[in-house]
Amino acid sequence: MDSSPNRKSSSKSVSQVQAQATEAMAEPAYTIPVFRQRTPEETEEYQRVSTNVGKGLAVIQEELHRMRMATKAQVESLEIEREVQLRMTKRSDLLDDIARMPDFMVALRPHTVWEKTPVKLFCTVQGNPRPIVKWYKGGMPIDPPSTPGKYKIENKYGVHSLIISRCMVSDTAEYSAVATNPHGTATSKATVTVKRPSGAGEYCHLGLVPHLTDIHPSKLEVSFLDRFPVSFGVEGSSVSLVCTMVVVPDLPNLPPHAQWYRDDKLLKPGKLVEMAVGGSAASLTLPHLAKDDEGLYTVRIFTKDGTTEHSAYLFVSDAPPSAAGAPGAPMSVKAYDINSDYVLVAWKPPNTVNEAPIAGYFVDRSVSGSDTWVQCNDAPVKVCKYPVHGLSVGRSYHFRVRAVNSAGISRPSRKSDKVTAIDAAENERLQVIKIEGKYDIVIKDDDLEGHVTIPGEPTDVHASEIYKSFVVLSWKPPSPRGRAPLWYVIDKVSWQRINTAVKLHSPRYPVYDLQDGQKYQFRVYSVNMHGSSEASAPSEPIQKVDQDGKGVPSAPGQVVATRNTKTSVFVQWEAPKHLKHLMGYYIDGRVVGSKDWFACNHKPFKHTRFVVHGLIPGESYVFRVQAVNVFGLSEESQESTPISVEPALGGGVEYATPSSPFGITLLSCDGSSMTLAWKSPKHCGGSKVNAYYISKRDADTLVWNEVNLTGVKERICTVDNLTEGTFYEFRVQAANMAGVGPPSSPSAPMKCVAWTAEVPGPAYDLSFSEVRSHSLVILWKAPVYTGASAVTGYFVDMAKKDSSEFVTLNEEALKHRYLQVSGLEEGQFYVFRVRAVNAKGVGKASQLSEPVCARALPGTKEIVAGVDEETGDIYLSLEACEICETSKFEWSKNYKPIGDCPRLAVTTKGRTSRLIFTNPDKDDLGRYSVVVTDTDDGGSSDEAEIRTLILSHAIRNPIIPLKHGLNYEVLEKGHVRFWAQAVKLSPAVSYRFIVNDKEVTSGEGHKFSHDVATGIVQMTVDQFTRANEGTYTVQIHDGKAKAQSSLVLVGDVFKAALKEAEFQRKEHIRKQGAHFSEYLYFTVTEDCTVLLTCKVANVKKETTLHWYKEDDEIVPETPPNVMSGACALPLPLFSRKDQGVFKAVLGDDRGKDTSTIDISGKVFDDIINAVAKIAGASASDLVLQCTPEGIRLQCYMSYYTEEMKTVWKHKESKIASSEKMRIGGTAEMAWMQICDPSDKEKGHYTMEIFDGVTTHTRTFDLSGQAYTDAYEEYLRLKVVGGLPDVVTIMEEKSLSLTCTVWGEPTPEVTWFKNEQEVTCNEHTKVTFDGGKFASLVINKVTPDDSGKYSINVRNKYGGEFVEITVSVYKHGEQIPEPKLGHPKMATATPAATPATTPIPTPTPKSPTPTPKSPTPPRSVKSPTPPRFMKSPTPPRK
């Protein structure tokens, strides 16, 4: 603002200088005055003036140059425009000579606007001569003079527009622009929907209307002209996607607002993505392509009335490999779980088509701003995740991945986004406190903890990632943690320190080098400069997971390829049964006859259908699919059937997919799901519509989400997992053999709120049949939402098109779902609606039907009823007036499809279809109709006419009523009986059997018979073989009456009959000798012995029975007695060792019979459950037993094996066997050992035995006094273990006596020799390590070292005294025998530790009954004195 006056004055001074200069140049020449000397003041003034004049001249020269260049540019522009006009005139003259019918270059688009706002419809049309455009609303011409100020029609620069000012709800209609010239007519249609805001008078049918999506404040109208096609690129190259468009008005400084999406994710400009809008084009440039860039690209342009968009796929193939056969580069490298010195890097695997399988991946890192890459892992990692640790806090990094196979290493992937190594928990430790409601004070948790030096211990130690090669440990930081810098230390299993090489600052750490099959526990310490915290609670046992080949998904299901265009194929497949965190799919193709596969996509595709582009027209291909997850690629699916690349069906039309469905309506809503229905596409595209795909979006968003990955076959679908109270929009796409068609227009916004009305919801799917000049039949489907009671009937309303005056056609509610409407005006259009009724009232009306014109198609014919002169059968026949390749004749009775009825047959020949009544009956009376699909043709017949024909037929042709038609039965010996049964027969009856059009006679392997009393006529076939396959017919004559019945015995039905006949024949032969009357089965006795039992028949003394397991004969202690009729093989102490195939062979001179039973899988589980049922019922109460290792709970039962489903619980939590809690058992009992018990182990214990039906439970309360007594007894029993009674050793050897000591608190240990305390010297060394291992080592023993040694262990709870006799013998002497009454001596070897002996267990003080414990009694260890004896320990000095 301040600079404006300066600019004006500057301009004024320049013009003044120009004028002065002009006057000066116009003056005559003058003489230079005589030189005179200037004063200093004059010199200064002269310099100032000359400087200003110089500047003024420079400005004048610059301005003149600019004006000269502008004039030149203007002249050139005018010349170009003149040339363009000249050429356009010539072009126009040429085009004027070409006659063309009207064609819409830019069609009308639908609009949705608020009430009382204007809307503008526009289109661009071309043709020669120039077409005349007329506007219509709902088929009626629009006349602006008749409604002044309402409509305005314009035609500027070839753009035709209709402006509706101040829209009203009644303006909601379909508007059309009709362009006409002498060569034809073209029409463009669009729907305008006017919405009324909430609270503005009456509500719309949806209830509340949502806030419309925030639209970019664009005032432009945009329509696409040229759209970017499917594109192909190679890694490292560049590609541009461009859309040209028509923008009205086209303002250079205000281009449209465009957004670009890849796979529905919004793209932002950057180094890898360049965007531009202007010059009537929107472009997206990818300067450095990578496979990450592959996907479906969408450009969305914001316009005055919403958005317009276009999508196409971009394929990016692998660049040439670094080595022949090397794999392609991985992609989508991202970093997760970011901490101060740790990140988890993940990526997607490349597709391997003809290359060797990928052996693993190398992960590289680079500091941001550097081009130096450092490899993070020494050996390839096999999963697509890798934890990178050892990062520097605060530094930023990039990551990339390379794949490895047997041929070499791939090119590196595109580097990841920048990642900064910071403590993710640091922000969580900040708190914001408001002071006086307006000041924010930020403090750390450190400020609230007070003065903390040593940090607390970490918590929640667990494995966040478990794989074959590594396990990632995670934990929660300590609280309090203190202000000093913190790091962590990790222990594993026996609490050995893990060397992390550097200080560990993150609560994450990857652990490698864990052994397969072994479980580990970990604990973590917090450490700072002041010291270390206590150890965290140990983690749960962690074991590496061997995922090699097991973690990948299962192979996808059936792959189906169908035609799409002349260069593409539409491929669909079934999802794998086991997804396992699926990333997507790779599709491969192969030319038929070639062995080389090629990749159809290079980035995992998430859906189960894909269009493969870039194929050779006319070539045949097969396809296969692989599923992808973090572990790699699944097995290949089965190959599709070969398909030739040609345009899809439809008369040579390149895109023969169906048109879009329409008329989406809401049928029901329960608050979390909505049931929708829609109308069929108006054009099927040349093949039958076989699937529909539904998409949804929030009314406040623009991104569509697929509802169903698998196509829906019916025109109704329930959409689940919706949010109550949210408005949704839906659209539907139809699919046929050619592919998926365009989506429908979005539905009106629908609010997801539960329907609670007591009256029914709307009927749906209104359709018409038998449309004639004055009548038609309307049909519909029942409501999905029935209300408070069942639907009892329907009312049908009718109105003329564009009229709101509906007339109800029926006074009483209809019980059926069709109505014949008569009395129509020929040529008039009508619309219909249906309302359902229940006990609570009349429900909501259905959606209006499509307008139907009361006019029959030219050439329409009615159904003709008649009698076939040759066969005498009644028939109904219709000759269609029009038919197409996909048309079918669909017959109905009372407007319900005719199912499989043996009395009816349909034949079709050309354009004529005939419904034949082969055996007419009164049940066949009704109204028959036929519809010709994919046309408007059809007709119906009258019931009275059919009744007359059936009655006259019955009089002329009496029939014998049959109770049962011809049927078959397999008898013993494999004979097959064919029979039919009449209601009544006379003795004069005659009949004949016809097989495969040939009459058979009694004899020749066939036996005929009949029974007048029962009405049965039968034929028995003695030898039923493959030659007997075919059609069997019986014809019965009884006076004038006739009857005929046929049985088709072919295919699977015949195979089943033949199999049964052969089985019965073999059974008959088998039963001629010794045989099994009941095959092997199992039983369980009361003592849990499993018996394999069978029953035999037709045996004699010479008959033998032999038992086998896996073909090895078993000889039972008691030989089987076959004469008893039953034999059994006992399997005592049944367990997993008894799995296998058992066989019993019965035989004598008449032959052999065999019975087998496979004890595995379900049979084994059933036996274990049967054993568990008896054992569980016999289980005793839990009893307590103390041992030196801890406290043991035991349960005695008739039999126990580890295969039984036994569960131990502590406080309702399942106990897993571990070093702390050991679970085991013997054949007589199950036990659970609590090692080194503490207060944590107090509580209620439960043992459960599940037998498949019942859970047998036993409990024990280990708390209070019971726990106190048990714990004291455990401490008393926790004594010395591991020493023998007698040791012999050769001189000059070294003797090491080592034992294990238990006790709490840690006991004092003293060694004695011959009742004298042993002192430590060079010859004798005494050690006590870790409060657990006590040792006495004597170097180079001599005979003087022989004697009686003892160890005394004592703490405040008591002590224990153990003696050992040591004998030293000289080299060459025999080892001395132990003395009478002593056990055999142990021979010592140099520095050998004596074997650990069992620890004696005395009878506990508690009233627990003495169990049958496997623990030996204390008296076994004879040299140990009784506990009540006084220890000979001398007083300590």
Side-chain angles (χ1 to χ4, degrees):
M1 297 291 292
D2 296 335
S3 62
S4 298
N6 295 334
R7 285 198 300 268
K8 291 180 180 179
S9 61
S10 175
S11 175
K12 184 177 180 180
S13 61
V14 170
S15 61
Q16 289 177 352
V17 172
Q18 289 177 345
Q20 293 173 1
T22 304
E23 293 175 0
M25 287 187 290
E27 293 176 358
Y30 62 95
T31 305
I32 298 175
V34 179
F35 178 80
R36 64 182 179 86
Q37 188 70 28
R38 293 186 179 94
T39 64
E41 292 79 331
E42 291 176 338
T43 301
E44 183 179 356
E45 179 64 15
Y46 173 78
Q47 292 177 349
R48 185 183 65 79
V49 172
S50 59
T51 301
N52 289 336
V53 173
K55 290 182 179 179
L57 289 175
V59 171
I60 293 172
Q61 291 175 355
E62 183 179 350
E63 182 67 12
L64 289 174
H65 178 72
R66 186 190 66 77
M67 293 174 64
R68 187 180 298 113
M69 296 302 296
T71 303
K72 180 181 179 182
Q74 189 174 2
V75 171
E76 290 176 351
S77 177
L78 291 173
E79 185 65 21
I80 292 173
E81 288 181 6
R82 190 178 296 109
E83 182 69 17
V84 169
Q85 290 176 358
L86 179 62
R87 296 195 178 189
M88 289 297 294
T89 302
K90 294 180 179 179
R91 179 178 181 273
S92 177
D93 295 337
L94 293 174
L95 292 176
D96 288 342
D97 297 333
I98 302 175
R100 289 180 298 170
M101 68 177 292
D103 184 21
F104 282 91
M105 298 299 293
V106 177
L108 295 178
R109 292 188 297 105
H111 291 70
T112 300
V113 297
W114 291 115
E115 190 180 28
K116 299 181 181 179
T117 60
V119 65
K120 181 179 181 181
L121 304 176
F122 71 95
C123 60
T124 302
V125 65
Q126 68 176 8
N128 188 25
R130 180 175 298 174
I132 298 174
V133 176
K134 292 185 178 181
W135 293 87
Y136 295 82
K137 174 186 175 183
M140 303 298 293
I142 294 176
D143 185 15
S146 63
T147 53
K150 180 68 175 179
Y151 302 102
K152 183 179 180 181
I153 297 176
E154 295 179 346
N155 178 12
K156 293 182 179 180
Y157 311 109
V159 177
H160 299 265
S161 60
L162 170 67
I163 302 173
I164 309 173
S165 62
R166 289 184 62 82
C167 291
M168 301 173 62
V169 175
S170 60
D171 291 323
T172 299
E174 183 184 70
Y175 292 79
S176 55
V178 179
T180 307
N181 71 2
H183 302 290
T185 300
T187 303
S188 177
K189 298 181 180 181
T191 301
V192 173
T193 303
V194 183
K195 294 180 177 291
R196 176 170 295 161
S198 172
E202 65 184 69
Y203 295 97
C204 68
H205 67 282
L206 292 173
L208 297 177
V209 178
H211 294 294
L212 293 183
T213 305
D214 291 336
I215 299 177
H216 185 268
S218 173
K219 302 299 181 182
L220 307 178
E221 296 178 352
V222 183
S223 298
F224 286 129
L225 289 180
D226 296 326
R227 299 170 171 85
F228 57 87
V230 173
S231 304
F232 299 87
V234 181
E235 282 186 305
S237 63
S238 64
V239 69
S240 293
L241 308 178
V242 181
C243 269
T244 60
M245 50 197 170
V246 174
V247 183
V248 179
D250 189 2
L251 305 176
N253 296 328
L254 184 61
H257 178 60
Q259 289 181 343
W260 288 87
Y261 294 81
R262 180 196 300 126
D263 297 329
D264 288 335
K265 292 184 179 179
L266 181 65
L267 299 177
K268 296 182 179 180
K271 294 182 179 179
L272 301 177
V273 179
E274 300 173 359
M275 302 176 187
V277 182
S280 299
S283 64
L284 173 76
T285 301
L286 305 172
H288 305 288
L289 278 179
K291 289 186 291 185
D292 306 59
D293 297 319
E294 182 169 292
L296 182 67
Y297 283 79
T298 301
V299 58
R300 178 173 292 134
I301 306 292
F302 287 82
T303 69
K304 179 180 179 180
D305 303 305
T307 61
T308 182
E309 59 187 49
H310 167 67
S311 301
Y313 211 87
L314 170 64
F315 295 87
V316 182
S317 58
D318 288 297
S322 55
M331 70 213 76
S332 302
V333 180
K334 295 183 180 179
Y336 303 90
D337 199 7
I338 302 165
N339 281 273
S340 55
D341 56 0
Y342 163 92
V343 297
L344 181 64
V345 180
W347 59 91
K348 293 180 181 179
N351 191 6
T352 53
V353 183
N354 300 310
E355 300 86 3
I358 292 177
Y361 303 89
F362 284 119
V363 180
D364 304 333
R365 75 168 184 259
S366 172
V367 177
S368 182
S370 170
D371 294 332
T372 303
W373 291 90
V374 178
Q375 185 171 301
C376 300
N377 51 323
D378 298 329
V381 60
K382 293 187 177 182
V383 296
C384 295
K385 281 187 179 180
Y386 183 74
V388 179
H389 65 99
L391 305 178
S392 299
V393 180
R395 278 197 175 182
S396 297
Y397 295 89
H398 294 282
F399 298 92
R400 70 180 189 185
V401 183
R402 294 169 293 149
V404 185
N405 67 2
S406 58
I409 302 177
S410 75
R411 297 162 58 96
S413 67
R414 172 182 285 176
K415 68 180 181 180
S416 69
D417 294 335
K418 182 170 67 174
V419 174
T420 303
I422 57 174
D423 187 358
E426 192 66 28
N427 290 336
E428 299 176 4
R429 302 183 67 246
L430 299 178
Q431 295 189 26
V432 179
I433 301 176
K434 283 191 175 291
I435 304 298
E436 298 179 359
K438 55 183 179 179
Y439 300 109
D440 291 344
I441 304 298
V442 180
I443 62 173
K444 286 190 174 183
D445 287 349
D446 302 343
D447 302 324
L448 303 177
E449 292 174 351
H451 183 66
V452 176
T453 54
I454 298 178
E457 68 272 8
T459 57
D460 190 21
V461 181
H462 64 282
S464 57
E465 304 280 344
I466 302 178
Y467 295 104
K468 169 70 175 175
S469 55
F470 64 87
V471 170
V472 176
L473 286 182
S474 299
W475 57 90
K476 292 182 180 178
S479 180
R481 61 180 287 170
R483 302 184 182 183
L486 186 72
W487 66 92
Y488 300 97
V489 174
I490 305 174
D491 287 351
K492 72 176 179 181
V493 187
S494 57
W495 313 134
Q496 299 172 350
R497 186 62 46 86
I498 295 179
N499 181 18
T500 59
V502 296
K503 285 185 178 180
L504 184 59
H505 296 282
S506 297
R508 305 283 189 278
Y509 184 71
V511 182
Y512 299 87
D513 301 327
L514 300 181
Q515 296 183 6
D516 294 336
Q518 184 170 345
K519 294 183 178 180
Y520 294 84
Q521 285 183 290
F522 299 88
R523 63 186 185 186
V524 184
Y525 298 83
S526 302
V527 186
N528 65 9
M529 60 185 293
H530 300 290
S532 172
S533 71
E534 296 291 330
S536 68
S539 68
E540 293 293 324
I542 298 169
Q543 183 177 359
K544 288 198 308 182
V545 179
D546 185 2
Q547 294 283 12
D548 290 349
K550 301 178 182 178
V552 298
S554 56
Q558 182 182 10
V559 181
V560 178
T562 52
R563 294 176 180 175
N564 192 47
T565 71
K566 61 183 179 182
T567 59
S568 65
V569 166
F570 181 67
V571 181
Q572 302 179 82
W573 59 91
E574 296 177 359
K577 294 181 178 179
H578 306 290
L579 298 178
K580 298 183 179 179
H581 305 290
L582 189 71
M583 286 182 180
Y585 303 91
Y586 280 127
I587 302 95
D588 301 334
R590 174 175 61 84
V591 177
V592 174
S594 171
K595 297 182 179 180
D596 293 332
W597 291 87
F598 60 89
C600 301
N601 64 319
H602 308 86
K603 178 181 175 183
F605 186 72
K606 293 184 178 180
H607 305 296
T608 55
R609 56 183 188 273
F610 187 75
V611 178
V612 181
H613 289 274
L615 304 179
I616 301 174
E619 191 66 81
S620 294
Y621 294 86
V622 294
F623 299 92
R624 69 185 184 190
V625 183
Q626 287 178 281
V628 186
N629 70 358
V630 70
F631 296 102
L633 279 64
S634 71
E635 295 292 329
E636 293 94 350
S637 67
Q638 294 183 351
E639 297 178 10
S640 68
T641 55
I643 185 169
S644 177
V645 182
E646 297 175 2
L649 304 177
V653 178
E654 183 174 353
Y655 290 93
T657 56
S659 60
S660 59
F662 63 100
I664 301 174
T665 183
L666 179 62
L667 302 182
S668 178
C669 180
D670 61 7
S672 62
S673 65
M674 303 172 79
T675 301
L676 310 172
W678 56 89
K679 296 179 181 178
S680 302
K682 293 185 178 180
H683 305 287
C684 66
S687 64
K688 183 180 178 181
V689 174
N690 54 23
Y692 293 94
Y693 296 94
I694 301 94
S695 302
K696 67 177 176 67
R697 71 178 179 187
D698 292 354
D700 291 332
T701 64
L702 297 174
V703 179
W704 290 96
N705 299 306
E706 287 189 338
V707 171
N708 58 317
L709 297 179
T710 303
V712 176
K713 296 187 180 299
E714 303 296 331
R715 287 182 287 109
I716 184 172
C717 176
T718 299
V719 182
D720 298 315
N721 302 319
L722 302 179
T723 303
E724 188 169 8
T726 303
F727 283 87
Y728 291 94
E729 294 180 352
F730 302 90
R731 68 182 186 186
V732 184
Q733 294 173 270
N736 61 6
M737 289 181 61
V740 181
S744 66
S745 299
S747 68
M750 301 176 181
K751 187 176 183 180
C752 182
V753 59
W755 287 11
T756 57
E758 295 183 341
V759 295
Y764 69 102
D765 199 13
L766 277 63
S767 60
F768 301 98
S769 177
E770 306 162 35
V771 180
R772 300 295 184 262
S773 299
H774 301 286
S775 66
L776 57 79
V777 175
I778 180 174
L779 305 97
W780 61 90
K781 292 183 179 178
V784 173
Y785 179 79
T786 58
S789 61
V791 174
T792 57
Y794 301 91
F795 287 107
V796 181
D797 301 333
M798 179 185 73
K800 292 183 179 180
K801 184 181 177 183
D802 299 328
S803 173
S804 59
E805 297 178 0
F806 280 88
V807 178
T808 302
L809 300 177
N810 52 311
E811 295 181 358
E812 296 183 359
L814 298 170
K815 302 296 182 183
H816 45 257
R817 296 195 301 275
Y818 64 89
L819 176 67
Q820 184 172 17
V821 183
S822 57
L824 303 179
E825 299 179 19
E826 184 175 2
Q828 181 65 51
F829 282 85
Y830 295 90
V831 292
F832 295 84
R833 69 186 184 191
V834 178
R835 294 171 291 142
V837 185
N838 67 4
K840 298 295 182 178
V842 180
K844 181 180 177 180
S846 68
Q847 191 179 50
L848 286 182
S849 69
E850 288 294 296
V852 58
C853 181
R855 179 182 291 119
L857 292 175
T860 298
K861 297 182 179 180
E862 301 294 345
I863 291 179
V864 177
V867 178
D868 191 298
E869 296 181 356
E870 296 182 0
T871 62
D873 293 333
I874 297 174
Y875 68 84
L876 300 176
S877 176
L878 175 72
E879 182 180 356
C881 64
E882 63 175 0
I883 196 170
C884 63
E885 292 182 2
T886 59
S887 296
K888 292 183 179 180
F889 291 88
E890 296 181 352
W891 287 87
S892 300
K893 177 185 177 183
N894 297 330
Y895 298 101
K896 293 182 180 180
I898 296 176
D900 294 332
C901 180
R903 300 190 305 273
L904 299 176
V906 177
T907 62
T908 301
K909 186 175 182 180
R911 298 167 61 176
T912 302
S913 179
R914 177 176 286 191
L915 177 67
I916 302 172
F917 298 82
T918 57
N919 189 14
D921 189 84
K922 291 182 179 180
D923 293 338
D924 295 324
L925 294 176
R927 184 182 184 89
Y928 288 83
S929 59
V930 60
V931 174
V932 185
T933 61
D934 297 330
T935 70
D936 295 328
D937 202 0
S940 66
S941 63
D942 187 22
E943 181 176 333
E945 187 177 7
I946 299 175
R947 181 188 298 274
T948 302
L949 288 173
I950 289 178
L951 291 177
S952 61
H953 181 273
I955 294 172
R956 297 194 308 270
N957 302 285
I959 61 172
I960 300 173
L962 296 178
K963 277 187 178 180
H964 299 285
L966 188 61
N967 209 332
Y968 78 93
E969 177 187 7
V970 179
L971 307 176
E972 292 185 355
K973 301 182 182 180
H975 298 172
V976 179
R977 168 177 170 254
F978 294 87
W979 61 277
Q981 185 177 15
V983 174
K984 184 178 179 181
L985 291 177
S986 71
V989 66
S990 63
Y991 54 91
R992 63 175 185 163
F993 283 91
I994 300 170
V995 180
N996 293 333
D997 298 330
K998 292 183 180 180
E999 183 177 358
V1000 295
T1001 58
S1002 187
E1004 303 175 2
H1006 302 81
K1007 297 179 181 178
F1008 292 1
S1009 64
H1010 70 278
D1011 186 351
V1012 174
T1014 59
I1016 292 178
V1017 176
Q1018 64 182 16
M1019 173 184 68
T1020 304
V1021 180
D1022 293 339
Q1023 294 293 327
F1024 193 74
T1025 64
R1026 294 184 181 276
N1028 295 103
E1029 183 176 11
T1031 301
Y1032 292 74
T1033 303
V1034 59
Q1035 295 178 345
I1036 306 174
H1037 295 262
D1038 196 354
K1040 292 184 178 181
K1042 300 177 183 179
Q1044 176 174 310
S1045 181
S1046 298
L1047 173 66
V1048 179
L1049 207 59
V1050 297
D1052 293 338
V1053 178
F1054 171 75
K1055 291 178 182 177
L1058 180 61
K1059 184 177 180 180
E1060 177 66 16
E1062 291 177 347
F1063 173 76
Q1064 292 294 343
R1065 188 158 47 245
K1066 291 179 181 177
E1067 280 292 287
H1068 175 72
I1069 296 172
R1070 183 177 72 87
K1071 292 179 180 179
Q1072 301 307 304
H1075 64 275
F1076 291 99
S1077 58
E1078 289 187 22
Y1079 289 111
L1080 283 175
Y1081 61 95
F1082 73 86
T1083 58
V1084 181
T1085 64
E1086 288 300 320
D1087 63 351
C1088 293
T1089 298
V1090 177
L1091 297 178
L1092 299 183
T1093 307
C1094 60
K1095 294 184 180 180
V1096 297
N1098 197 15
V1099 295
K1100 55 185 182 179
K1101 292 183 179 180
E1102 293 78 10
T1103 304
T1104 60
L1105 178 68
H1106 296 275
W1107 296 94
Y1108 298 89
K1109 178 185 179 184
E1110 306 291 353
D1111 296 330
D1112 294 331
E1113 186 171 2
I1114 303 172
V1115 181
E1117 295 181 358
T1118 303
N1121 181 12
V1122 296
M1123 299 303 295
S1124 65
C1127 300
L1129 175 67
L1131 300 177
L1133 302 180
F1134 183 84
S1135 64
R1136 199 174 301 278
K1137 70 179 188 313
D1138 295 306
Q1139 285 185 318
V1141 178
F1142 288 81
K1143 180 170 64 176
V1145 179
L1146 184 72
D1148 53 27
D1149 56 355
R1150 294 171 293 176
K1152 292 183 178 181
D1153 195 10
T1154 302
S1155 176
T1156 61
I1157 182 171
D1158 185 0
I1159 300 181
S1160 62
K1162 186 178 184 303
V1163 176
F1164 178 80
D1165 293 340
D1166 292 343
I1167 296 176
I1168 288 295
N1169 288 337
V1171 172
K1173 181 177 181 181
I1174 297 174
S1178 69
S1180 69
D1181 292 333
L1182 292 179
V1183 296
L1184 185 145
Q1185 176 72 42
C1186 293
T1187 68
E1189 291 86 359
I1191 300 173
R1192 176 181 292 183
L1193 297 179
Q1194 302 176 161
C1195 180
Y1196 296 92
M1197 59 192 74
S1198 55
Y1199 175 64
Y1200 172 78
T1201 177
E1202 64 179 7
E1203 285 80 11
M1204 290 163 53
K1205 299 180 179 67
T1206 306
V1207 176
W1208 289 85
K1209 293 183 177 179
H1210 177 218
K1211 299 178 182 178
E1212 301 305 324
S1213 296
K1214 185 178 177 182
I1215 300 173
S1217 184
S1218 62
E1219 294 184 2
K1220 182 69 176 177
M1221 311 287 273
R1222 299 176 184 171
I1223 296 174
T1226 65
E1228 297 177 347
M1229 72 171 178
W1231 54 262
M1232 190 273 298
Q1233 175 90 29
I1234 306 171
C1235 300
D1236 294 333
S1238 63
D1239 288 346
K1240 291 183 180 179
E1241 282 71 52
K1242 288 183 180 180
H1244 196 78
Y1245 286 83
T1246 305
M1247 185 196 73
E1248 296 178 353
I1249 301 176
F1250 181 63
D1251 63 12
V1253 177
T1254 306
T1255 301
H1256 306 272
T1257 305
R1258 301 292 183 269
T1259 62
F1260 190 89
D1261 188 4
L1262 186 60
S1263 60
Q1265 190 61 38
Y1267 176 80
T1268 303
D1269 294 343
Y1271 189 73
E1272 290 181 358
E1273 182 65 16
Y1274 154 71
L1275 293 177
R1276 192 174 64 81
L1277 296 175
K1278 200 167 187 184
V1279 295
V1280 180
L1283 290 175
D1285 296 332
V1286 179
V1287 176
T1288 60
I1289 186 170
M1290 187 171 65
E1291 65 176 349
E1292 297 299 323
K1293 303 295 185 182
S1294 294
L1295 172 64
S1296 175
L1297 299 176
T1298 302
C1299 63
T1300 308
V1301 177
W1302 295 273
E1304 184 66 34
T1306 303
E1308 296 180 357
V1309 178
T1310 309
W1311 290 88
F1312 299 91
K1313 176 185 178 185
N1314 298 329
E1315 300 185 358
Q1316 297 296 320
E1317 184 174 352
V1318 175
T1319 59
C1320 190
N1321 52 41
E1322 292 183 358
H1323 183 62
T1324 305
K1325 184 178 180 181
V1326 176
T1327 61
F1328 186 29
D1329 295 334
K1332 191 172 182 180
F1333 303 104
S1335 299
L1336 172 63
V1337 179
I1338 305 175
N1339 296 317
K1340 295 184 179 181
V1341 296
T1342 65
D1344 293 338
D1345 292 318
S1346 298
K1348 184 174 290 185
Y1349 289 79
S1350 60
I1351 181 173
N1352 189 14
V1353 180
R1354 299 191 67 82
N1355 64 10
K1356 67 179 183 179
Y1357 293 103
E1360 192 68 30
F1361 182 84
V1362 178
E1363 291 183 345
I1364 311 100
T1365 302
V1366 176
S1367 297
V1368 180
Y1369 64 95
K1370 296 183 179 180
H1371 184 71
E1373 294 180 355
Q1374 290 186 351
I1375 301 175
E1377 292 292 328
K1379 296 181 181 179
L1380 186 63
H1382 289 271
K1384 191 171 181 179
M1385 295 173 290
T1387 304
T1389 58
T1393 301
T1396 302
T1397 59
I1399 301 170
T1401 303
T1403 303
K1405 295 180 181 178
S1406 64
T1408 305
T1410 304
K1412 300 177 182 179
S1413 173
T1415 307
R1418 190 167 193 80
S1419 58
V1420 172
K1421 199 168 185 180
S1422 58
T1424 305
R1427 186 172 297 280
F1428 58 80
M1429 291 181 63
K1430 185 177 181 181
S1431 173
T1433 307
R1436 302 185 66 83
K1437 299 177 182 179

